[in-house]
Amino acid sequence: MILEAKGIKKSYGKRVNRTEVLKGIDLSIEQGEFVSIMGASGSGKTTLLNVLSSIDRVTSGHIFIEGQDITALKDKKLAEFRKNDLGFMFQEYNLLNTLTVKENILLPLSIRSMKKAEVEKQFKVVAEELEIYDLKGKYPSEISGGQQQRTSAARAYIHQPKIIFADEPTGALDSKAASNLLRKLQQLNDKSNSTIMMVTHDATAASYSGRVIFLKDGLIYSTLRKGDRSQEEYYKEIMNTQSVLGGVGVES
Amino acid sequence: MSLNSVILKNFFKNLKNYTLYIFALVFSVALYFSFVLMSQDDGVAEELTSSELMSTGFIVGSVLLIVIIATFVMFANSIFLKRRNRELALFQLIGMTREKIFRMLIVENAVIYFGSLIIGIALGFLVYRMLLMVLLRLMQIDLSVGMTFSIEAVIQTALLFIFIFALLLAQNYIFLKKTSLIKMLKLEQSSEASYRGMGAVTVLFGTLGLVMIISGYWLSASMMNFTNALIFLMFGVLFLTIAGTYITFKFSVAFLLNMLRKSKNGHVNVNDVLSLTSIMFKMKSNAFLLTLISVVSAISMGLMSLSYISYYSVEDTIEASVPNDYTFYEEEDMEYYSDLLNENDIEHETVNIPTVSYDVEGDAIAIDAEAPGGFDTALALSMVSEEHVDGFEVEGDEIIITGVPYFLDSYIEFKLNETITLISDDYERDVELVSMGENAILSSFVTYGSPQAIVSNEVYEELEENHNYDEEMNQPREGFAIDITGEDSESIYQLMNEDNYSQFESKINQYNMQMQGTGLVMFIVGFVGFAFLLTSGCILYFKQIGESEDEKGSYNILRKLGFTENEILKGLTIKMVVTFGIPLLIGLLHTYFAVNAGGFLFGNEIWTPMLTVMGVYITLYSIFALISLMYYKKVVKRSI
């Protein structure tokens, strides 16, 4: 088990104006899993991702990554931990505009004492896998949204983190670019046995993952596993669950 | 919520952003007001030997101050307008008319502006006394400083700032009129699009910029070798350095940083991200501003150094060129004043030195053939016998040269233990240069500005005998002077001056006049320079605030990726060093070469004054860099 969360609670605001976003969540993720988290706006999915990925702190509860309780770590240690063991993808690509594609991707490696040749090899593997190797000298403003997001994926992968956290990675992409990206993520997940946790509100995106966790009002509502089903069947099931969850139609 | 309360709320929220702007505004009002007050101070004007100098100096100074302040205020305003773009667009989006927004801006500006004006005037009144004391101290005048508050000065200051305010309003109006809603909403993003790769043009111009500056420096250093085209060359140097500075900021910095970056082949670390890559793009778009700042910095540093050099060298210059306390044109004048001093029981000595003028040449004298001002005629020396002066020992055929004016010093090299030939028509006499003295022994109106030479009594008699007596040149001449035993004082000078028997030259009076003149010039140059430094520092700081807002997203990403606050701040520290350092460095280099090329005309001590001025500049720039860094720290802390 690579990640285990126990009794996660998170609330914002002072005593008077307190809103509880996460009301006690238990979950565990195995090595090599590709997990999606879904839920309506305000259900707490992004907050969950933030606390699991140590960007935000929990109000109570414990998170263990490979047995280490990260809720007990100091800020500095946490930053260190993020730097070494986690990879991130965000909705707004989150690339640095002043850096070229290659520089953006290699940024997480800058803190390691790796041999240059080794770094180059690693870069080549990941960038070719994501089909952005030819763009390495371009600036983010010179490439398309889909290419930017793939760059962001490459940055998340380059240092071979224990878990990759992705927050609505397809949110700003058109459907073709989105499916392209997700297929790549799926391939990488299969090939390198990496663990991915992705927040999304898009059923299509979720259908690429092996397990979907539905959140509702700060609690886990249900979990779906793909199992041996085809992606299409799986997608339908996700849609059904989502409509039950949202009451009427599908939340977009 | 009524419109007014929205405006008010909005205003107070914005006030924090304005802090430094208000501070700088208050400060410039205070500077200007105290400057006007000083120029109107009667007490000082009476005390000065040349009040005309003072009023001219203050007028020039105040015009420069006005230009600096007006430019600064308008520049700062444009930065703030850009920063508040989205807010202004939002107001329009919810249906506010442009006129209403314009009115809102008027009210806001008026409050800030006139608030600062009042505080500034009050502060200026307090500062003025202090500044006046500094000025009097610089001019070495003893005078107790009174308090004079002049309504005229207030009105003058107020009028000026109302005028600048009108300029501001025009600027706001034009800004609102020119930009459409859609542009305003997009303006913030437009800056992002400029991150692109570098073309061959950058490489070409990048090299060109550096070459231009270096050749400008080279020309300035060797300018004196081309006397016949001096004016032409000076403009050449100015053009090369100023245009070179612009191109450097526009291309060379980016070009150099890009080379550095290329050498890393993609393996950048967090320091590179925050300093190198960011500066590479920012400096390009700020090229004009940075050029302006570094060129004007260089000019003000140069002027400050030069005026400080002349101030600093007054004592040396006078000591070297005026040998006696009082110098007279006629023997009887000297005798008259000697009697006067005796009547008043002031101990003194009369000095009487005969001299003949000889042209000289020989191995010991190397005149720079390309020196300006035409050394086509041979160098002349005023010969003096050893028995008339103290402190010089010469025997036989030896000669000592002393009292060489410092502007001659740079063109003529005297070699010790070589031969000098003294020439008067057909007569020639060889002597050997054994040593060099420093101070003059004869007044310049006796020597016509030539250096003096001391020879033994026998040689002198020989020279006197063989000298070609020339009615026109009134040769030989004699120097008549009086040295006061002990210290000369202002009261002795007054005593002699009031007697009004005939004209004479007084060392103490010359010293005072020069101290006052150079002191005043230095004060005004320093004052204006300081105002400029303050405003340019503020502008760089505002730019940094803007950049920190632009880069907020990057800090957020970096922190999410796991870079700590300290790591980010380390990178930003490098960025501050470079952003403030490059304009400063270019300014310093410009100053160094300018002072080096022209400094000798102002005095003989160049290094101490120049380094002092540079030190002050570096210190103040560092303070601004530090304030900016502190602001960055706040932004980084908030970024996650």
Side-chain angles (χ1 to χ4, degrees), chain A residues 15-33:
Chain A
R15 258 169 237 145
V16 202
N17 237 342
R18 206 177 174 88
T19 41
E20 204 169 29
V21 185
L22 301 177
K23 295 172 182 166
I25 285 179
D26 297 302
L27 105 144
S28 57
I29 294 172
E30 300 293 328
Q31 168 76 39
E33 261 196 295

Side-chain angles (χ1 to χ4, degrees), chain B residues 529-636:
Chain B
F530 182 67
F532 168 75
L533 181 63
L534 192 79
T535 48
S536 63
C538 280
I539 286 175
L540 285 179
Y541 171 75
F542 294 150
K543 279 270 162 202
Q544 290 312 309
I545 292 182
E547 278 179 29
S548 73
E549 300 291 328
D550 286 352
E551 288 176 2
K552 227 183 200 160
S554 306
Y555 310 146
N556 180 277
I557 301 170
L558 288 170
R559 287 194 64 186
K560 275 184 179 165
L561 288 180
F563 292 99
T564 58
E565 248 173 82
N566 280 339
E567 281 171 316
I568 296 177
L569 278 178
K570 223 172 92 194
L572 287 172
T573 309
I574 301 176
K575 180 182 173 184
M576 285 307 93
V577 170
V578 178
T579 345
F580 283 87
I582 289 186
L584 180 67
L585 184 73
I586 292 184
L588 288 176
L589 279 174
H590 283 5
T591 309
Y592 170 76
F593 281 98
V595 171
N596 231 14
F600 66 90
L601 293 171
F602 293 83
N604 43 6
E605 182 53 56
I606 287 177
W607 284 99
T608 320
M610 187 171 74
L611 291 180
T612 312
V613 170
M614 286 178 165
V616 171
Y617 251 77
I618 293 171
T619 314
L620 286 169
Y621 259 79
S622 316
I623 291 173
F624 276 108
L626 216 63
I627 298 175
S628 309
L629 192 63
M630 269 149 63
Y631 187 87
Y632 270 106
K633 196 171 175 173
K634 259 191 354 209
V635 174
V636 172

Side-chain angles (χ1 to χ4, degrees), chain A residues 109 118-127 157-158 160:
Chain A
L109 289 183
E118 207 177 320
V119 172
E120 288 290 328
K121 215 177 90 194
Q122 177 79 358
F123 167 71
K124 202 164 181 229
V125 169
V126 176
Y157 260 100
I158 191 83
Q160 293 164 319

Side-chain angles (χ1 to χ4, degrees), chain A residues 13-251:
Chain A
K14 303 261 159 58
R15 258 169 237 145
V16 202
N17 237 342
R18 206 177 174 88
T19 41
E20 204 169 29
V21 185
L22 301 177
K23 295 172 182 166
I25 285 179
D26 297 302
L27 105 144
S28 57
I29 294 172
E30 300 293 328
Q31 168 76 39
E33 261 196 295
F34 186 173
V35 180
S36 296
I37 298 176
M38 292 191 77
S41 307
S43 60
K45 51 188 193 300
T46 298
T47 310
L48 178 64
L49 185 92
N50 281 346
V51 295
L52 289 180
S53 63
S54 81
I55 287 175
D56 209 346
R57 282 187 172 280
V58 294
T59 311
S60 70
H62 293 276
I63 298 163
F64 300 92
I65 291 182
E66 285 196 329
Q68 190 184 15
D69 187 356
I70 63 165
T71 52
L73 290 177
K74 289 228 165 61
D75 271 351
K76 219 177 175 174
K77 282 267 176 216
L78 270 186
E80 196 72 21
F81 176 72
R82 280 206 294 277
K83 216 156 44 182
N84 288 313
D85 299 331
L86 304 182
F88 291 94
M89 288 174 72
F90 305 96
Q91 180 171 359
E92 304 88 10
Y93 321 139
N94 274 353
L95 298 175
L96 296 169
N97 284 321
T98 53
L99 299 187
T100 61
V101 166
K102 183 177 181 186
E103 288 166 345
N104 262 301
I105 294 173
L106 292 189
L107 193 57
L109 289 183
S110 70
I111 44 150
R112 274 152 226 258
S113 49
M114 274 172 80
K115 282 204 186 99
K116 270 204 173 162
E118 207 177 320
V119 172
E120 288 290 328
K121 215 177 90 194
Q122 177 79 358
F123 167 71
K124 202 164 181 229
V125 169
V126 176
E128 272 177 351
E129 187 72 39
L130 287 157
E131 289 169 12
I132 45 174
Y133 187 75
D134 295 336
L135 304 172
K136 61 181 177 173
K138 298 246 189 232
Y139 284 91
S141 61
E142 297 171 306
I143 59 178
S144 76
Q147 290 166 334
Q148 286 188 49
Q149 194 59 292
R150 271 182 277 145
T151 306
S152 172
R155 185 182 63 194
Y157 260 100
I158 191 83
H159 58 302
Q160 293 164 319
K162 289 178 179 143
I163 310 178
I164 290 170
F165 291 97
D167 186 4
E168 304 263 17
T170 57
L173 300 180
D174 63 81
S175 56
K176 198 176 156 216
S179 56
N180 189 0
L181 174 76
L182 287 161
R183 214 169 299 122
K184 293 269 177 255
L185 282 182
Q186 209 176 24
Q187 281 167 17
L188 278 170
N189 177 243
D190 285 345
K191 251 192 220 166
S192 60
N193 200 26
S194 59
T195 313
I196 302 174
M197 181 170 175
M198 172 176 79
V199 161
T200 184
H201 62 248
D202 178 8
T204 325
S207 68
Y208 284 88
S209 64
R211 173 155 64 121
V212 185
I213 298 171
F214 290 93
L215 287 191
K216 189 184 165 121
D217 299 332
L219 287 168
I220 291 181
Y221 178 78
S222 74
T223 305
L224 283 179
R225 280 181 192 277
K226 189 180 177 192
D228 296 330
R229 278 175 288 187
S230 73
Q231 193 172 350
E232 207 164 323
E233 273 177 277
Y234 186 40
Y235 169 73
K236 273 181 193 148
E237 175 117 32
I238 295 170
M239 285 297 277
N240 286 339
T241 318
Q242 207 177 19
S243 60
V244 173
L245 195 68
V248 228
V250 181
E251 184 254 339

Side-chain angles (χ1 to χ4, degrees), chain B residues 118-131:
Chain B
I118 292 167
I119 301 172
I121 286 181
L123 187 69
F125 184 60
L126 296 176
V127 171
Y128 136 78
R129 272 195 64 185
M130 219 172 66
L131 287 172

